Amino acid sequence: MRPSVIVKSPQDWKLPPHLADYAAQRAAFTWDQARSQLDGLPGGGLNIAHEAVDRHGQGPRRDQVALRWLGKNGQIEDYSYADLMALTHRFANVLQTLGVAKGEGVFVLAGRIPELYVAVLGSLKHGSVACPLFSAFGPEPIATRLKLGEGKVLVTTEILYRRKVAGLHGQLPHLKHVLLVREGSGPQPVGTLDLAQIMDHVGDAATPAATVAEDMALLHFTSGTTGAPKGAIHVHEAVVAHHATGKYALDLHAEDVFWCTADPGWVTGTSYGIIAPLLHGVTSIIDEADFDAERWYRILEEQQVSVWYTAPTAIRMLMKAGPELAGKHRFPKLRFVASVGEPLNPEAVWWGKETLGLPIHDNWWQTETGGIMIANTPALDIKPGSMGKPLPGVDACILERREDGSTRLVEEPNVEGELALKRGWPSMFRGYLHQEERYRKCFSGDWYLTGDLAKRDEDGYFWFVGRADDVIKSAGHLIGPFEVESALMEHPAVAEAGVIGKPDPVVGETVKAFVSLKPGHAADDALNLELLGFARKRLGAAVAPKEIAFLATLPRTRSGKIMRRLLKARELGLPEGDLSTLESGA
Ligand code: AMP
């Protein structure tokens, strides 16, 4: 039997970890001291792109490879810190030339191509607000987010534009400029500009906008149980946490080759796929291609990745690909592996140790926290299945919500409650754009309520229990059931729709929809297929349901809300729980 703790010892370290003594360093830590490790701008300002790019681009690391891009067709492109500085200067100048003002939204809808990284960092440098969108979204989630975020500029590729955006133009009154990464030699689509051409026409000298710590920098959309997606506002001050967590949770050292497999369309892919590695002056690998087990092992080996940040779904897919494939590769440079986004089963932690030679270090955070909050750090013993302990500067606790809405701090170990964090860490979101009331509801006094249920054990390790709400985590992507239900309801045959996450051994959960039909429509296979295709076209493959079931009626509460929990319990054959609010007959 495997032991319940993986004991760490200094012999395991290839480099002395930044957080070698958890208790002592945590006790001595202050955010002011963390802030002092960054440059800042003259006059007291702060700018993420300055810290991530220009600081190195004009310093001793200027010729170091900042980004190594691996194209899906085998191309490799290296960008030094000096190159990245010049390119992001240019992009900032493009925004300036177009008359984009500080604080306005620059959305980027692209696969993992170099232009995405240049556009995000260039927008930060310019002082506008960067919002990367997941390229697998369909037209509806794209339109919803562009509208809510009042996107003024959209950077996208020609193919994505033609497939997903061209039809939306009339619905987006704020959108003034579409900058295209051209992919063909045909005519430039009407109403768009050629990004490469306009980058060539501006200079590569620029000074970062005079942003200050509390200026808005990034907008990341996330989903709740109900209503529209929420645009979580992040400010330039977040860079202090990106730097500190890159140091303590990922143990980044300047000589590292780091690979974060997350897409920048999700917060991990921005905080740790773009910003944190550059802050530490490392070489960051970007792979354009989708998951492929052979390719991933090859990248780890050939690129000599030393620190790897990935996700449980990917690890389970590698496990599924079998030991033979893994056995064809060697990873002598790899020294730290971490994972985030979904529960990491103990099996996967051990698989890392047995296959890669290193256990996987689970860590926890979410869009709203902007950076890693709870982590298994290099020197800390691992209890497989646990998310680890709060990082220096982070106070986490378990709160019990009482019937009257008040909360109680749970002191006893191993008692389930809502995971909460004490306000005050630099990358905490500063609001949901235009949704003040939803933001306010996230707090109980000084505590931010995360929406996750968890427990803390007698040694201070946190254990994930589940979500307190109905959002779905599929392949690490957070999906709001309401967005899926709304798309299905647009089909003329659908009377009502209820959407749940159905447990899946590889991707965590898959999206399953239950629909009832309007009179005159037959619940047959043809309609089922049509609805699957309809949802996929609107929402995109990452969000659309994989399965649809027809029901005569959907269970609702007396106040009319669809009881997703009951749908889920019935789907899984679990006890139906308290049905006192169920409308009779459902
Ligand atoms: P997102 O805001 O899309 O990054 O999703 C954040 C949510 O993912 C959290 O609130 C959790 O529900 C889940 N999550 C993130 N990390 C972990 C983890 N290590 N273990 C379990 N769930 C996690």
Side-chain angles (χ1 to χ4, degrees):
M1 236 196 36
R2 287 164 169 162
S4 57
V5 179
I6 298 179
V7 178
K8 300 286 191 59
S9 105
Q11 285 127 15
D12 303 330
W13 305 341
K14 290 186 181 147
L15 276 178
H18 288 299
L19 192 62
D21 184 341
Y22 174 82
Q25 287 175 264
R26 185 175 153 79
F29 181 90
T30 67
W31 284 113
D32 280 343
Q33 168 235 327
R35 201 168 284 117
S36 71
Q37 297 183 13
L38 298 170
D39 261 11
L41 294 178
L46 191 63
N47 185 282
I48 297 176
H50 172 81
E51 303 299 337
V53 182
D54 297 2
R55 196 158 57 105
H56 304 302
Q58 56 207 9
R61 305 190 73 71
R62 63 188 315 281
D63 296 323
Q64 156 99 12
V65 177
L67 302 178
R68 168 162 291 180
W69 178 71
L70 311 176
K72 56 182 166 207
N73 300 319
Q75 322 91 296
I76 299 184
E77 288 175 16
D78 282 348
Y79 297 85
S80 69
Y81 278 92
D83 294 337
L84 200 55
M85 182 168 84
L87 285 165
T88 51
H89 276 355
R90 275 187 195 276
F91 189 82
N93 285 337
V94 166
L95 296 180
Q96 195 68 33
T97 309
L98 294 174
V100 178
K102 192 173 154 187
E104 288 187 317
V106 178
F107 282 57
V108 187
L109 174 75
R112 291 177 295 279
I113 53 173
E115 289 84 349
L116 183 160
Y117 297 78
V118 168
V120 169
L121 291 162
S123 306
L124 294 170
K125 187 176 283 187
H126 171 258
S128 36
V129 176
C131 180
L133 291 178
F134 190 40
S135 59
F137 278 154
E140 262 180 37
I142 293 170
T144 306
R145 286 159 180 75
L146 271 166
K147 259 186 252 174
L148 286 169
E150 298 169 1
K152 175 137 188 197
V153 178
L154 175 67
V155 178
T156 186
T157 66
E158 189 163 348
I159 292 177
L160 288 171
Y161 177 77
R162 288 187 196 281
R163 274 198 210 142
K164 303 184 178 188
V165 185
L168 302 175
H169 251 325
Q171 305 174 35
L172 304 169
H174 296 279
L175 187 62
K176 295 288 179 269
H177 308 285
V178 177
L179 307 180
L180 283 195
V181 179
R182 297 295 314 271
E183 283 160 318
S185 52
Q188 178 83 24
V190 179
T192 69
L193 296 166
D194 180 337
L195 176 64
Q197 206 175 63
I198 130 169
M199 289 272 283
D200 276 349
H201 281 101
V202 294
D204 66 3
T207 43
T211 49
V212 295
E214 286 304 312
D215 280 340
M216 189 167 161
L218 288 152
L219 186 64
H220 282 298
F221 281 94
T222 184
S223 301
T225 300
T226 55
K230 304 175 277 189
I233 297 170
H234 288 285
V235 298
H236 282 274
E237 169 90 341
V239 71
V240 177
H242 296 147
H243 185 263
T245 55
K247 181 171 170 182
Y248 293 130
L250 300 178
D251 199 41
L252 293 174
H253 288 65
E255 54 272 51
D256 276 316
V257 175
F258 173 69
W259 183 24
C260 168
T261 60
D263 188 278
W266 303 93
V267 72
T268 305
T270 305
S271 294
Y272 299 97
I274 306 181
I275 299 167
L278 299 178
L279 292 171
H280 287 275
V282 311
T283 294
S284 185
I285 302 290
I286 298 161
D287 183 27
E288 186 192 16
D290 288 334
F291 175 86
D292 173 85
E294 209 282 318
R295 181 178 171 103
W296 278 34
Y297 284 131
R298 204 154 29 79
I299 292 175
L300 286 173
E301 181 172 18
E302 287 175 3
Q303 299 304 327
Q304 309 198 348
V305 173
S306 55
V307 178
W308 189 35
Y309 194 23
T310 188
T313 292
I315 293 164
R316 289 190 291 261
M317 278 157 52
L318 289 175
M319 290 167 77
K320 220 173 139 192
E324 207 171 295
L325 184 62
K328 291 188 185 147
H329 301 270
R330 296 281 170 273
F331 317 104
K333 294 280 188 204
L334 199 61
R335 61 175 193 84
F336 188 69
V337 182
S339 145
V340 72
E342 320 150 57
L344 184 70
N345 27 326
E347 278 306 298
V349 178
W350 283 105
W351 171 87
K353 193 154 172 56
E354 285 148 16
T355 310
L356 305 173
L358 301 162
I360 317 280
H361 294 74
D362 186 20
N363 62 46
W364 178 95
W365 61 292
Q366 53 179 198
T367 304
E368 287 85 346
T369 71
I372 302 169
M373 297 281 107
I374 296 177
N376 286 285
T377 47
L380 208 62
D381 295 345
I382 297 179
K383 296 191 186 186
S386 152
M387 309 188 287
K389 294 189 180 189
L391 286 177
V394 176
D395 280 323
C397 76
I398 302 295
L399 287 186
E400 180 199 333
R401 282 211 207 214
R402 297 205 182 95
E403 293 266 315
D404 64 1
S406 65
T407 52
R408 175 186 79 90
L409 196 71
V410 176
E411 307 273 3
E412 321 83 81
N414 301 312
V415 174
E416 196 179 306
E418 189 160 347
L419 177 61
L421 304 165
K422 192 169 236 159
R423 282 175 194 271
W425 71 96
S427 61
M428 186 181 94
F429 71 132
R430 302 299 201 263
Y432 291 126
L433 193 69
H434 306 318
Q435 301 190 54
E436 189 48 42
E437 181 60 13
R438 278 176 111 176
Y439 179 68
R440 215 183 41 73
K441 280 192 174 153
C442 294
F443 293 89
S444 170
D446 262 353
W447 293 100
Y448 161 65
L449 299 157
T450 66
D452 280 1
L453 301 174
K455 292 190 273 198
R456 182 180 47 198
D457 72 14
E458 48 292 335
D459 300 319
Y461 284 76
F462 282 76
W463 298 75
F464 181 80
V465 173
R467 288 285 309 187
D469 57 18
D470 291 339
V471 294
I472 299 161
K473 258 279 158 128
S474 185
H477 303 144
L478 197 76
I479 297 170
F482 182 76
E483 200 165 15
V484 182
E485 289 159 3
S486 306
L488 284 166
M489 298 280 290
E490 284 170 34
H491 191 281
V494 174
E496 34 178 22
V499 167
I500 62 160
K502 181 174 166 183
D504 179 277
V506 177
V507 298
E509 290 183 304
T510 55
V511 179
K512 175 159 185 177
F514 296 87
V515 298
S516 67
L517 299 176
K518 290 185 183 154
H521 295 275
D524 56 20
D525 289 351
L527 183 58
N528 200 306
L529 270 181
E530 184 181 319
L531 288 177
L532 285 169
F534 177 86
R536 199 181 157 99
K537 198 161 164 221
R538 266 149 213 261
L539 296 167
V543 181
K546 300 274 176 293
E547 207 184 320
I548 294 179
F550 294 118
L551 293 178
T553 54
L554 265 50
R556 284 182 183 271
T557 61
R558 285 197 203 103
S559 59
K561 276 201 220 148
I562 289 182
M563 294 179 83
R564 299 191 190 106
R565 270 164 198 259
L566 185 54
L567 287 170
K568 189 159 178 170
R570 287 178 180 169
E571 171 72 22
L572 304 181
L574 296 173
E576 297 193 350
D578 178 7
L579 297 182
S580 57
T581 60
L582 181 67
E583 207 181 32
S584 57

